[in-house]
Amino acid sequence: MAPTDDAHAGQTTQAGGQRYFPDLPPAIDLPAMEHDVLARWQDGQFFERSLKATEGRPLWTFYEGPPTTNGMPGVHHIEARVFKDVFPRFKTMQGFHVPRQAGWDCHGLPVEVAVERELGLSGKKAIESYGIAEFNARCRESAQRHVDAFEELTVRLGYWVDLQHAYRTMDTSYIESVWWSLKEIFGKGLLVKDFRISPYCPRCETPLSDHEMGQPDVYRLVTEPAVTVRFPLASLPDGANPLLTGAHLLVWTTTPWTLVSNTAVAVHPGESYAIARKPGDGDTVVVAEKLAARVLGDGWHVVATVPGAALVGATYRPPFDLVEIPGAHRVVPGGFVTTEDGTGLVHLAPAFGADDMETGRAHGLPVVKPVRQDGRFEEWVPLVGGMFFKDADEPLVRDLAERGLLFRVEQYEHSYPHCWRCHTPLLYYALPSWYIRTTQVKDLMLAENERTNWQPPTIKHGRYGEWLRNNVDWALSRTRYWGTPLPIWECGEQHLTCAGSLAELSELAGRDLSGLDPHRPYVDEVTLSCPECGGEARRVPEVIDAWYDSGSMPFARLGAPGQNAEEFRRAYPAQFICEAIDQNRGWFYSLMAVGCLVFGRNAYENVVCLGLVVDEHGRKMSKHLGNVLEPLPLMEAHGADAIRWFFAASGSPWSTRRIGDAALGEIVRKVLLTYWNTVSFLVLYANAAAAQDQAWGPAQAAGAPPAAARPLLDRWLLSELHATTQEVTANLEGFDTAAAGRRLASFIDDLSNWYVRRSRRRFWEGPATADGSSAFGTLYECLHVLTRLMAPLTPFLADHVWAVLRGPDDPESVHLASWPAVDEALIDAQLSGQMAQTRRLVELGRSARAAASVPVRQPLPRAVVSAAGFAELAADLRSEVIHELNVRALEPMAAVGEDLVDHVVKPNFRTLGRRFGKGTKPVAAAIIAAEPAVLAAELRSAGKVSVEVDGTPVALGPDDVIVTQTPRTGWTVASEGGETVGIEVFITPELRREGLAREVIRLIQDARKSDGLHVSDRITVSWEATDPDLSAALTEHGQLIASEVLADRFGPATPADTDPARGAHQHAEPDLGLTFWLARA
RNA sequence: GGGCCUAUAGCUCAGCCGGUUAGAGCGCCGCCCUGAUAAGGCGGAGGUCGAUGGUUCAAGUCCAUCUAGGCCCA
């Protein structure tokens, strides 16, 4: 039964006492519990209430990076959404107001591609004949459909974000805001038209996107002629090596048709170039020194070498004179030039290559483009006019040969891209495109990046910073359909007009366009009269990169331009954003770039950058491999909390994550169920106490003795609790969920496997005594705090537990509660260290017992300990060791007698190294050489000891030497790190009988459980023993056994006891020679 | 070709400010504990801490180079 809001009405137990807590089921079904919690959140409007409750508090702004809604969500979509929820919940509990607006990225090529596939369309021509209006309507519908799937996932994950008021990049008001920002950039002269090199299919007459270039079969191996051509030098730069006079540059290319457009030659400024001469005829050529032998072959000498930089500025005669290219045919430097193949001198035709274009732009070279959009040379070009570009290679090479400029032709095999649709060889082709001059704000972006906090920190100057330093202008436009249309109108005189909103557009067009769908094709139909010349202006055909849309979300999410300006001012920049690392060049950049361009300031202060999600075997998840894990079934199998914990709190969020059932199952068992069972333990005994008319609940917790008056174990747990709170708070403030998770998991382990284990007896005995009241109070307080610490990470289980534990004055949901405060006075580092030692001694003792094969149930006379600090260990802590090891006494090693103990001494390098530095080794050698027993005795009696090093005495303290003492005979021993526990293995008949009694207690407890009795049920037990020793043990310890197993009667069986009619269960233990009958009293 | 990340047990991963027997979990084997637990403990088997070189009294840890894998970009 799930707790409900009236769980604490106070219910009457069978025995008549009032119990505060609802009874909890023995096992919890986590996914089912989560559904209950989801329903409670929904009914109680807790998210809305958490926002309302923090209204007016300091704002902590979070920006949701909009997922692209081009397909169904996968587990990798969960990852970032976990972190986007954890920190806002944490900050809300800390008292900040954290509005969370959802958002969806609806535009872009991925959506178009998905719709093309659905419609069976292939390529832009097909889309246009299908109709842009209808196509875009399908895109809108597809985006909406996938938004629904993302919403379902978001809710199920427990990601609290306002879905009702989500921003959508396809909404009119959003597009208008984007237009507004573009106009700002346009007004600064940073939005310009220029050429861009794209892979281009001349048959389809369309550029290919990166996505299309990634299709299989695009790159095919082809064998083509590669030519090495002579470019005779015409003039040399000042101070050039005179040997260059009359030399020919050797230039290599696999695309002879581009030589028609040759504009420049690039050399690597740092490479060495050889001037080589053929003896006899004075023929002189220039080639990279590293490639000289390969390119030239035999018969050439290198007469000199010059750095590439020395060639820069030379001019040459172009290979063809078919096209006029003013101001060209120079040697320019190019960092991209390699000496892998070719000649180390690279021919540049800016219209037909990306490096060519970029280099040309840097050196003010013209862009000439004698090839038409259909891939044919312009008719007016001599020799090759009208010819398809590929077909021009042959006549051009022949012409070069005839003019003596062809140095060599060879067949060259390489991979070359082809159109994935029609298999036509692609060409790299300059197309007009719109750019944002981000290079103009590069310094600003670098400065803004400096004051941005990255988690993990290495990204800041590494992956992201490196990318930022190599910033190039943003190619903004796309010749596509489903996107924010570029709001620029151009007239016949090429005057440009940018519209910043529909209102402005209405004014420019002279009609009311406020109801216009700003998408294509409707916006294309709007014409204006040019404000400059009055001519008719039409919109340029492009839409913009969808990344610009998402980068505009800080303002566009708030509605049309000018709306909510005050809210924007308060909520910019954001305190927190979080995405996976693939967003470096995506959203992290577009947010920063748009922010710097429009507002002169980055849009975020803290950015958490997550690793990628891969499958259990480390492979990337892809539909192709069929290894995509669907998030909803995964959450139904393990629960959303387990997945949240996995991503946020186990392993390292910044590295690549492998997710699978095994990892999630472990989290459920180790963390979530252990936590839950501790809660259920408290409730079980609180309700058992209620049945004894000792009702226990939060009111009684408040009445527990003050912390200082509680037993040591309780003070230890409170100390750990507050240290945990302190650490987890600091970790979350530093955006380190992994460290927080490790600390929480370790606290849960301490709580369940040490505190509760060692305190059980106090819970059995109930809260009536001071000790009992301390135990109940301490456990309750710890769970009350722990549940709040867990709330951001595992919001479902934490809220379910909260509903059980919360006091009458606590808020209804843990997510309305405040973050726990640290009481530093309760943190006792010394106690924490002593408890750690206590637990180490217990471990050593258990190890020693196991070595002697004596079960822990069998009491043994005594244990001896040798360990630094043991003398100071409190009696309470020694008593924990005694109980855990089941020994009668615990004594220092000295009790054994000095002469019966072996000593081993080892240097402690940590202290010696600090003291002696270079002299550490001889001191260590002297310690090892010393007589261990003597050294140990001296150290113990005097607290210091002197050893001889190179004839000089050196004084050592107890910290400088690790002494391990081991008793010689009659003991079972375990040692580690200078600590030793020895246990005396000597079982007297008396101890043997006590061991048997303990054995029987355990058997009866097992029987209770298998008979389905409640932990507080009273029983009667009668027994029959064949072994006289056992019989004696049961008689001697009858009272102890009876009280341990809650038996009202415990004694030898009479015929009446064994009568089946009485209803007692018979349990036989032939190994022990015992039979007993158990019945409810 | 450039940048970044990763490399520790069969698998998944910790490992702080460098400190001398390198840890945990999962899995396997044996044993133990259990009055909440789907838990817990002890032992066994399993490691040239990717390689090489360097710094240092001391390197899994710091530096350099290399190798392999991943991601992004060309």
Side-chain angles (χ1 to χ4, degrees):
Chain A
M1 180 187 70
T4 56
D5 284 342
D6 58 0
H8 302 120
Q11 294 174 33
T12 303
T13 62
Q14 285 176 320
Q18 289 284 305
R19 59 176 170 74
Y20 182 81
F21 304 112
D23 278 329
L24 298 179
I28 184 167
D29 176 345
L30 294 172
M33 172 278 291
E34 291 181 355
H35 283 288
D36 289 344
V37 171
L38 278 173
R40 204 156 52 82
W41 285 350
Q42 173 108 53
D43 295 345
Q45 298 282 294
F46 287 120
F47 174 41
E48 294 75 4
R49 281 164 61 185
S50 78
L51 286 170
K52 203 158 210 110
T54 51
E55 246 166 34
R57 305 298 305 269
L59 195 62
W60 197 77
T61 299
F62 155 71
Y63 289 163
E64 159 77 325
T68 305
T69 53
N70 66 317
M72 300 304 276
V75 247
H76 50 289
H77 289 105
I78 292 185
E79 188 191 28
R81 299 178 95 63
V82 169
F83 291 81
K84 290 172 179 187
D85 189 58
V86 168
F87 294 108
R89 281 188 196 266
F90 166 61
K91 285 290 166 183
T92 299
M93 290 177 78
Q94 279 195 321
F96 290 89
H97 184 56
V98 191
R100 282 155 267 179
Q101 183 183 14
W104 310 108
D105 186 4
C106 305
H107 283 152
L109 194 68
V111 179
E112 291 194 28
V113 168
V115 169
E116 267 185 271
R117 198 175 299 129
E118 280 174 24
L119 294 174
L121 299 177
S122 167
K124 287 161 70 175
K125 284 179 180 171
I127 293 170
E128 282 173 24
S129 60
Y130 180 80
I132 296 174
E134 179 58 16
F135 181 77
N136 275 356
R138 293 297 199 112
C139 287
R140 179 185 293 275
E141 180 277 324
S142 164
Q144 184 54 54
R145 179 160 24 106
H146 293 123
V147 164
D148 293 347
F150 270 92
E151 284 185 351
E152 185 186 3
L153 172 86
T154 299
V155 170
R156 180 62 188 86
L157 184 65
Y159 174 24
W160 275 6
V161 63
D162 184 354
L163 296 166
Q164 259 70 55
H165 303 97
Y167 66 89
R168 299 189 307 173
T169 58
M170 64 184 176
D171 289 343
T172 298
S173 65
Y174 197 98
I175 290 172
E176 281 192 275
S177 267
V178 171
W179 281 4
W180 166 82
S181 68
L182 288 170
K183 193 182 172 198
E184 293 284 307
I185 295 168
F186 181 81
K188 294 174 186 173
L190 298 177
L191 176 53
V192 297
K193 192 176 182 178
D194 205 337
F195 284 106
R196 180 191 197 196
I197 301 295
S198 305
Y200 180 85
C201 175
R203 195 207 65 88
C204 304
E205 296 195 19
T206 181
L208 272 74
S209 65
D210 288 353
H211 169 261
E212 289 170 303
M213 292 296 282
Q215 296 287 321
D217 289 343
V218 165
Y219 282 91
R220 298 172 164 200
L221 270 185
V222 294
T223 303
E224 299 181 301
V227 295
T228 305
V229 182
R230 294 166 178 272
F231 285 22
L233 282 169
S235 72
L236 298 176
D238 291 343
N241 189 321
L243 290 169
L244 287 167
T245 311
H248 293 176
L249 304 175
L250 291 187
V251 172
W252 179 86
T253 181
T254 55
T255 52
W257 61 271
T258 60
L259 290 170
V260 173
S261 316
N262 172 268
T263 304
V265 166
V267 294
H268 196 292
E271 283 289 338
S272 173
Y273 287 82
I275 303 168
R277 189 167 281 178
K278 198 163 202 172
D281 60 6
D283 189 3
T284 308
V285 297
V286 179
V287 64
E289 188 186 4
K290 281 183 198 155
L291 293 161
R294 200 202 303 172
V295 172
L296 300 175
D298 296 337
W300 293 82
H301 310 300
V302 174
V303 294
T305 61
V306 292
L311 296 169
V312 169
T315 64
Y316 60 87
R317 293 207 305 279
F320 294 104
D321 199 9
L322 308 176
V323 176
E324 183 98 1
I325 309 179
H329 308 124
R330 297 183 264 142
V331 177
V332 297
F336 61 91
V337 174
T338 69
T339 50
E340 291 295 306
D341 47 23
T343 60
L345 293 106
V346 174
H347 135 69
L348 299 181
F352 303 107
D355 285 333
D356 312 47
M357 173 65 83
E358 205 179 304
T359 311
R361 197 173 278 156
H363 294 91
L365 296 166
V367 177
V368 292
K369 195 168 67 161
V371 176
R372 296 187 311 236
Q373 302 233 342
D374 64 359
R376 293 179 183 276
F377 275 91
E378 299 279 6
E379 296 295 345
W380 51 262
V381 179
L383 192 63
V384 292
M387 213 175 264
F388 193 63
F389 71 100
K390 267 284 175 205
D391 300 334
D393 283 347
E394 197 193 320
L396 290 168
V397 171
R398 198 182 322 122
D399 183 64
L400 286 171
E402 282 163 10
R403 289 186 288 126
L405 294 176
L406 189 63
F407 185 85
R408 176 178 306 149
V409 187
E410 66 208 312
Q411 292 300 304
Y412 183 74
E413 188 183 57
H414 64 142
S415 72
Y416 193 84
H418 294 71
C419 178
W420 62 277
R421 206 178 292 119
C422 69
H423 312 301
T424 305
L426 301 178
L427 63 150
Y428 287 91
Y429 193 67
L431 289 169
S433 184
W434 292 86
Y435 282 87
I436 295 179
R437 294 275 183 237
T438 52
T439 46
Q440 299 292 309
V441 293
K442 176 177 160 179
D443 290 343
L444 175 61
M445 289 195 286
L446 285 168
E448 285 294 301
N449 189 44
E450 281 309 309
R451 52 182 222 174
T452 302
N453 174 41
W454 285 82
Q455 176 71 347
T458 53
I459 307 278
K460 177 178 187 163
H461 293 120
R463 206 164 173 160
Y464 185 79
E466 200 58 41
W467 143 265
L468 210 52
R469 275 190 289 283
N470 295 320
N471 184 259
V472 295
D473 288 338
W474 187 345
L476 183 72
S477 59
R478 300 286 182 269
T479 50
R480 298 292 310 189
Y481 310 98
W482 179 238
T484 296
L486 193 57
I488 293 177
W489 274 257
E490 188 174 20
C491 71
E493 299 294 310
Q494 297 183 319
H495 299 135
L496 302 176
T497 306
C498 187
S501 66
L502 284 178
E504 278 183 38
L505 189 61
S506 303
E507 207 165 300
L508 288 163
R511 60 192 172 104
D512 179 15
L513 295 168
S514 55
L516 179 77
D517 176 354
H519 285 98
R520 298 186 68 190
Y522 311 108
V523 71
D524 299 340
E525 290 154 12
V526 176
T527 58
L528 339 159
S529 67
C530 175
E532 265 180 77
C533 67
E536 188 192 60
R538 307 195 67 87
R539 197 186 72 84
V540 300
E542 290 91 349
V543 299
I544 65 166
D545 184 359
W547 285 116
Y548 188 94
D549 286 348
S550 57
S552 303
M553 66 70 64
F555 52 92
R557 70 192 178 96
L558 297 170
Q563 285 180 10
N564 302 308
E566 176 58 18
E567 187 176 349
F568 172 74
R569 200 190 53 72
R570 283 188 297 127
Y572 189 93
Q575 270 68 55
F576 168 64
I577 63 169
C578 169
E579 302 294 335
I581 194 164
D582 55 349
Q583 295 299 321
N584 264 2
R585 281 128 172 98
W587 195 55
F588 294 154
Y589 175 67
S590 68
L591 261 187
M592 181 182 279
V594 174
C596 289
L597 285 159
V598 179
F599 305 106
R601 174 147 195 216
N602 189 19
Y604 48 90
E605 291 173 0
N606 297 288
V607 47
V608 174
C609 181
L610 306 170
L612 264 85
V613 179
V614 295
D615 74 4
E616 254 177 318
H617 309 288
R619 293 173 311 177
K620 198 172 174 172
M621 288 190 191
S622 73
K623 282 180 191 154
H624 179 63
L625 286 170
N627 60 347
V628 174
L629 275 178
E630 281 197 52
L632 287 172
L634 212 56
M635 285 193 272
E636 290 318 321
H638 303 279
D641 280 341
I643 292 177
R644 294 173 62 109
W645 187 275
F646 173 82
F647 279 123
S650 76
S652 168
W654 346 110
S655 48
T656 309
R657 305 303 309 279
R658 299 185 180 195
I659 187 165
D661 287 310
L664 295 172
E666 191 183 328
I667 287 166
V668 167
R669 280 183 289 110
K670 286 247 160 18
V671 181
L672 303 182
L673 291 183
T674 306
Y675 164 50
W676 169 252
N677 282 324
T678 311
V679 173
S680 119
F681 175 85
L682 173 71
V683 168
L684 182 64
Y685 285 100
N687 288 348
Q692 311 290 319
D693 285 328
Q694 298 173 16
W696 197 90
Q700 287 69 32
R710 295 185 198 176
L712 205 55
L713 198 64
D714 296 12
R715 300 208 308 267
W716 166 76
L717 186 65
L718 289 171
S719 169
E720 294 298 323
L721 176 76
H722 284 271
T724 300
T725 303
Q726 194 170 52
E727 244 180 79
V728 168
T729 307
N731 290 334
L732 291 182
E733 282 174 343
F735 299 98
D736 189 349
T737 51
R742 275 196 295 274
R743 191 68 174 90
L744 285 167
S746 131
F747 181 73
I748 289 170
D749 187 65
D750 283 348
L751 185 62
S752 170
N753 292 320
W754 187 249
Y755 178 77
V756 171
R757 175 187 171 85
R758 291 303 323 144
S759 308
R760 273 184 298 213
R761 198 159 284 272
R762 288 195 283 151
F763 287 96
W764 304 341
E765 284 159 7
T769 62
D771 269 9
S773 168
S774 291
F776 277 84
T778 302
L779 183 55
Y780 180 82
E781 283 165 29
C782 286
L783 289 171
H784 199 262
V785 170
L786 174 63
T787 298
R788 283 177 286 157
L789 297 178
M790 294 286 282
L793 292 163
T794 57
F796 294 97
L797 185 54
D799 213 16
H800 181 70
V801 169
W802 186 260
V804 173
L805 295 183
R806 73 185 178 89
D809 299 331
D810 285 327
E812 268 178 79
S813 165
V814 72
H815 305 294
L816 299 172
S818 55
W819 191 251
V822 177
D823 184 348
E824 291 193 38
L826 292 177
I827 300 177
D828 184 341
Q830 195 196 358
L831 176 56
S832 176
Q834 290 190 329
M835 188 63 83
Q837 179 173 53
T838 302
R839 293 172 74 175
R840 284 198 305 276
L841 296 178
V842 167
E843 275 174 33
L844 285 171
R846 284 202 278 242
S847 172
R849 284 194 78 117
S853 299
V854 183
V856 176
R857 240 174 278 132
Q858 174 60 57
L860 290 172
R862 62 175 174 161
V864 289
V865 171
S866 161
F870 178 66
E872 290 79 48
L873 214 55
D876 283 359
L877 297 180
R878 290 176 186 229
S879 145
E880 301 297 342
V881 178
I882 287 175
H883 282 106
E884 279 292 307
L885 296 183
N886 196 16
V887 290
R888 285 281 167 79
L890 185 70
E891 295 170 355
M893 188 70 74
V896 176
E898 192 69 17
D899 50 342
L900 294 176
V901 171
D902 283 333
H903 292 83
V904 177
V905 296
K906 279 172 52 182
N908 182 2
F909 283 93
R910 195 187 283 269
T911 59
L912 295 177
R914 213 157 281 157
R915 252 181 86 190
F916 297 105
K918 289 192 184 206
T920 305
K921 267 183 182 163
V923 178
I927 292 171
I928 292 163
E931 180 57 48
V934 174
L935 192 142
E938 177 87 22
L939 207 50
R940 190 164 47 248
S941 58
K944 62 179 182 185
V945 72
S946 176
V947 294
E948 190 106 327
V949 179
D950 296 334
T952 322
V954 172
L956 299 174
D959 289 347
D960 294 325
V961 184
I962 298 166
V963 180
T964 303
Q965 296 182 300
T966 321
R968 241 172 249 162
T969 50
W971 300 79
T972 178
V973 177
S975 292
E976 195 170 338
E979 295 180 326
T980 301
V981 173
I983 293 178
E984 192 173 19
V985 186
F986 183 70
I987 305 171
T988 61
E990 184 204 345
L991 288 172
R992 166 78 185 140
R993 288 195 299 276
E994 194 181 325
L996 285 169
R998 299 264 309 229
E999 179 83 34
V1000 171
I1001 289 169
R1002 189 185 66 83
L1003 290 170
I1004 298 173
Q1005 301 290 25
D1006 278 357
R1008 284 182 61 111
K1009 194 179 265 186
S1010 65
D1011 287 355
L1013 296 177
H1014 188 262
V1015 292
S1016 55
D1017 284 338
R1018 307 295 299 182
I1019 57 172
T1020 65
V1021 178
S1022 50
W1023 52 268
E1024 211 172 72
T1026 52
D1027 174 10
D1029 282 349
L1030 179 63
S1031 199
L1034 295 184
T1035 309
E1036 182 181 345
H1037 296 291
Q1039 282 230 284
L1040 170 76
I1041 297 170
S1043 92
E1044 287 292 302
V1045 302
L1046 303 185
D1048 290 345
R1049 200 167 67 78
F1050 180 80
T1054 62
D1057 292 331
T1058 60
D1059 182 357
R1062 204 180 133 257
H1065 278 91
Q1066 177 181 328
H1067 298 267
E1069 299 295 335
D1071 290 350
L1072 211 57
L1074 173 73
T1075 307
F1076 63 89
W1077 291 263
L1078 190 156
R1080 203 191 299 260

